[in-house]
Amino acid sequence: MITNLRKTAVALIGTLALLSLRTHAQDIYAPYRKAWLEKAEQYKPVLTQTIKQPVGIVKLEKDAAAFQGWKAVKAGSVDQLYKASFNRKNSGIVVDFGEHLTGYCTFTLATRRNAMDAPLRLKLTFGEVPAELATPFDPYPGSLSRAWLQDEVVTVTVLPATITIPRRVAFRYVKIDFIGSSNSHEFGFADIQFKAQTSVTATPPPLAATASPLIKDIDRVGLTTLKECMQTVYEDGPKRDQRLWIGDLYLESLANIYSFKNHDLTKRCLYLLAGLSNPDGILNADLFEQPTPHAHQTRLLDYCYLYNVALKEYVEATGDKQTGLDLWPVAKKQLDIVKHFAGADGMMDYQKAGKEWWVFFDWKDGLDKQAPLQGASISALNQTYALAKLLGKESEITDVPALSKN
């Protein structure tokens, strides 16, 4: 009898959730959106900008033992670039900045011999690793946009000139190729620098002296990666996609809790995602900031779950219950997804979910995602209930504990 009642209740909950998910006539967050987006703008960070100079010139060498088969070997000082004329003979020179950076490159060109009597043209290619510069970009075999590759052609008609590449890049090395100029005129580089930017302002405490060198290297690389992704939102990647995804918000904000502690950035992202959610209350998986914040209109079932977890982790780490209360309606609404696809036996209907949603988890084609869907759904229920307890909202989701154990 009890089992039958439970099955009936679960079915009814699923039906109500389905009706809720399919109601598009009214924007359920209309009273809140303006305030949410205003708060997101309020917590937009002012980026810290640091001028970086190159540390030397390198040459690229094949090495089967190196990452992707190529390594960078020291080949000279930057002064060699600044003192010499630049032409076909030294075309392809690779300048090393010594560390991974995100921001904007500026260089100054000057006349070395004779007046400039024709335009000159250069190509700058920015790479994160040596193999990226050693491998020709074209013909391009990829399915993503060719324009993501970081090469820029610059034409200069008047010298001296100081030029800033308008595109933001993420790199360590820049290769400079000579494309063309007058044979009677010589020019060269007088300066090259990079304005690196990030929202990070704090320095995490060092690891214990007893930590192994490997762990220290992992920590260093992880912090550098996180710092470069922390721009005016947590970016999927400063090189690509350069936008906020819920999945990256969850991972990066969790790492931030234990490192840079830039909690205002987390708050901004949580409010942005809420403010740009769908009229039915379901979150979009990602968003763009420019020219004005707008959603990508992409729904990922598991990312909706992760929003709730990220919000819970934020409230728990900061004690900022007001933000949690502001955004509680959004977290609560995402649970309708679980209720919609949960069967009477408590199992999530993966086949149905896969037809109606992008059930992500992994890029592997043909992967059976029943197990991760089940686990993530249970976790979302439990984590959201934990958030409710932090906020004193348990009475609004009294069905969740039983549903997560069903």
Side-chain angles (χ1 to χ4, degrees):
M1 180 69 175
I2 294 175
T3 301
N4 289 336
L5 286 173
R6 176 179 288 177
K7 289 181 178 179
T8 301
V10 169
L12 179 59
I13 290 170
T15 300
L16 292 173
L18 174 61
L19 291 172
S20 177
L21 284 169
R22 291 181 177 175
T23 300
H24 299 283
Q26 184 177 359
D27 181 357
I28 67 171
Y29 298 146
Y32 314 112
R33 287 191 191 276
K34 184 174 183 292
W36 287 345
L37 292 174
E38 286 175 351
K39 287 189 176 182
E41 188 64 22
Q42 177 185 344
Y43 292 105
K44 183 177 181 179
V46 175
L47 297 177
T48 299
Q49 297 183 322
T50 307
I51 301 299
K52 298 286 187 175
Q53 303 289 343
V55 298
I57 296 171
V58 297
K59 60 179 179 179
L60 308 178
E61 292 185 356
K62 282 189 176 182
D63 184 346
F67 179 63
Q68 296 183 342
W70 288 88
K71 65 181 180 181
V73 179
K74 291 182 180 179
S77 69
V78 180
D79 284 344
Q80 291 177 237
L81 173 64
Y82 293 161
K83 291 177 180 179
S85 293
F86 191 77
N87 50 44
R88 295 189 189 280
K89 292 181 180 180
N90 51 9
S91 178
I93 195 169
V94 178
V95 177
D96 180 12
F97 275 78
E99 60 182 318
H100 191 283
L101 302 167
T102 296
Y104 298 89
C105 181
T106 297
F107 60 94
T108 298
L109 299 175
T111 296
R112 292 283 188 256
R113 184 179 65 83
N114 294 340
M116 184 179 187
D117 59 353
L120 65 90
R121 184 168 292 170
L122 305 171
K123 182 169 79 169
L124 283 74
T125 306
F126 299 88
E128 296 180 291
V129 295
E132 188 174 359
L133 299 182
T135 305
F137 285 179
D138 298 299
Y140 178 64
S143 57
L144 297 174
S145 170
R146 164 64 174 80
W148 280 118
L149 300 180
Q150 298 181 136
D151 55 339
E152 299 292 322
V153 174
V154 177
T155 300
V156 182
T157 57
V158 177
L159 289 182
T162 297
I163 298 154
T164 297
I165 302 294
R167 173 185 182 179
R168 197 193 77 186
V169 295
F171 84 120
R172 172 175 170 171
Y173 307 97
V174 56
K175 183 173 71 168
I176 308 170
D177 287 301
F178 177 93
I179 296 179
S181 184
S182 167
N183 292 329
S184 64
H185 167 252
E186 292 184 7
F187 71 96
F189 284 83
D191 183 60
I192 181 168
Q193 60 179 238
F194 194 80
K195 185 180 288 185
Q197 64 180 43
T198 175
S199 64
V200 168
T201 57
T203 301
L207 296 180
T210 54
S212 72
L214 176 60
I215 293 298
K216 289 180 178 179
D217 279 346
I218 292 171
D219 181 65
R220 174 182 54 80
V221 172
L223 289 174
T224 299
T225 302
L226 180 59
K227 180 186 72 173
E228 297 304 298
C229 291
M230 291 173 66
Q231 300 293 324
T232 48
V233 294
Y234 289 106
E235 293 188 355
D236 170 77
K239 180 178 177 182
R240 191 198 71 83
D241 292 342
Q242 300 183 8
R243 61 181 181 262
L244 172 66
W245 288 82
I246 296 177
D248 298 276
L249 163 66
Y250 164 62
L251 292 172
E252 293 177 33
S253 63
L254 185 59
N256 172 69
I257 289 172
Y258 297 98
S259 56
F260 301 117
K261 302 185 186 301
N262 184 357
H263 301 303
D264 282 355
L265 184 65
T266 305
K267 186 186 297 190
R268 166 174 166 76
C269 294
L270 290 167
Y271 276 115
L272 266 177
L273 287 160
L276 298 173
S277 56
N278 291 286
D280 63 0
I282 299 301
L283 291 161
N284 288 295
D286 66 313
L287 59 85
F288 303 92
E289 292 185 275
Q290 301 296 334
T292 57
H294 60 287
H296 191 203
Q297 300 296 323
T298 303
R299 300 191 187 202
L300 273 71
L301 183 149
D302 35 319
Y303 277 27
C304 290
Y305 290 172
L306 289 177
Y307 180 90
N308 291 16
V309 185
L311 179 59
K312 176 256 182 183
E313 296 285 357
Y314 167 80
V315 173
E316 198 168 53
T318 64
D320 179 9
K321 291 185 179 181
Q322 186 55 57
T323 294
L325 290 169
D326 284 351
L327 300 175
W328 169 248
V330 182
K332 179 181 174 183
K333 182 63 180 177
Q334 306 317 299
L335 295 186
D336 285 353
I337 301 167
V338 185
K339 298 170 185 178
H340 174 41
F341 292 112
D345 59 356
M347 295 299 294
M348 297 293 289
D349 190 336
Y350 170 53
Q351 297 302 320
K352 181 180 179 182
K355 291 178 181 178
E356 298 183 23
W357 282 77
W358 181 6
V359 182
F360 179 53
F361 291 111
D362 196 287
W363 285 107
K364 172 67 176 176
D365 291 335
L367 183 68
D368 188 328
K369 300 176 183 178
Q370 177 65 55
L373 176 60
Q374 194 71 25
S377 299
I378 294 170
S379 176
L381 292 168
N382 290 335
Q383 294 286 340
T384 307
Y385 194 74
L387 173 63
K389 290 173 69 175
L390 287 171
L391 302 175
K393 293 289 186 179
E394 305 100 306
S395 62
E396 295 186 15
I397 52 171
T398 55
D399 58 327
V400 164
L403 185 60
S404 67
K405 295 176 181 177
N406 188 23

